[in-house]
Amino acid sequence: MSMRIRTSALTALTVAALAAGTALTAPSAGAAPQAAGSKTAGSKTAAPAFLSASQLPPHPTSSWTAGPVTDGFPEQLGFCVSTEGVPAYTYRHREFRTDLDTSAVQLTVVADTAAHAEALAKHYDDLIRTCADRIEKSSPDVEAEGRDYGKLPVEEGARVRGLHTETSWGANDIALLSVGRDGRTVTVVQWGQMGDFDDAPVAAFKKTTTTAVNKLY
């Protein structure tokens, strides 16, 4: 069974639990969120750039292929992160894959203010931090463990975490997830494949996250 299929199955197990995440305060009346690349006085106008395939952690036997940049929130991130309790910002994402059982996805979202972006980044990091507990509470057939790999000194900051899941029917998966921010823009990056923490390319993923944040503008 592929990582994508197993991830979708675990997503269904955690949908209810995601609602327990900290809700964000929506923008005040009359202050509608702006789409990525929209212009305000003194703001930057370029849309956030995305990672390229060559900037993902190298795979030992297969090259990465990058999909197109697409509007909307990626289903693949629903494993730990959702839009629950978040204002209706404009989401864009890009998916990546190898010829084998390894995949990745990057999300970017531009908030209306830097303060709202800071709150959004914390919200997403909190969801990732508590994801393992929510998975185990939602299904007795899944054992999950999260790890904190620390902060990265890039722009307004980023944090990298790991998540390992093992099911009673033998599925064994490892994911690395990060949240970073530059001004009003937040990015979430997820890498995943079959395996455990020993199979996670943490140093390479930290480099990928740093690149992702640096490319936001």
Side-chain angles (χ1 to χ4, degrees):
M1 189 182 296
S2 71
M3 173 71 181
R4 184 181 297 274
I5 293 172
R6 285 196 302 275
T7 297
S8 297
L10 286 175
T11 298
L13 297 174
T14 60
V15 165
L18 284 171
T22 303
L24 296 178
T25 301
S28 59
Q34 292 180 315
S38 59
K39 185 176 181 180
T40 59
S43 68
K44 301 172 184 177
T45 59
F50 280 77
L51 291 165
S52 64
S54 64
Q55 292 165 331
L56 273 290
H59 192 282
T61 60
S62 178
S63 298
W64 284 97
T65 299
V69 175
T70 305
D71 291 338
F73 193 92
E75 180 182 350
Q76 189 175 349
L77 268 185
F79 189 30
C80 282
V81 180
S82 77
T83 59
E84 184 76 29
V86 177
Y89 294 127
T90 298
Y91 300 97
R92 303 174 78 225
H93 69 275
R94 189 176 207 178
E95 296 185 0
F96 305 84
R97 62 176 177 81
T98 66
D99 292 335
L100 301 175
D101 206 16
T102 306
S103 62
V105 62
Q106 181 186 7
L107 167 75
T108 67
V109 53
V110 181
D112 56 325
T113 68
H116 285 152
E118 182 179 6
L120 181 63
K122 182 181 184 304
H123 175 70
Y124 284 156
D125 183 60
D126 285 344
L127 287 179
I128 295 169
R129 176 179 56 82
T130 59
C131 188
D133 288 341
R134 296 198 313 275
I135 289 172
E136 289 193 340
K137 288 178 181 179
S138 66
S139 175
D141 296 323
V142 181
E143 293 185 1
E145 179 186 353
R147 291 188 182 178
D148 183 358
Y149 290 113
K151 296 180 179 180
L152 301 177
V154 54
E155 298 299 341
E156 272 71 61
R159 190 171 208 117
V160 174
R161 299 184 186 272
L163 177 69
H164 174 248
T165 57
E166 185 171 2
T167 69
S168 60
W169 57 88
N172 190 41
D173 295 301
I174 180 67
L176 295 174
L177 303 101
S178 62
V179 180
R181 181 174 72 91
D182 181 5
R184 295 188 299 120
T185 307
V186 176
T187 190
V188 180
V189 183
Q190 177 178 291
W191 167 99
Q193 68 173 33
M194 293 187 295
D196 56 28
F197 287 112
D198 290 339
D199 301 305
V202 176
F205 187 76
K206 287 184 174 181
K207 183 177 179 180
T208 292
T209 296
T210 298
T211 301
V213 177
N214 278 327
K215 292 185 72 170
L216 291 178
Y217 281 113

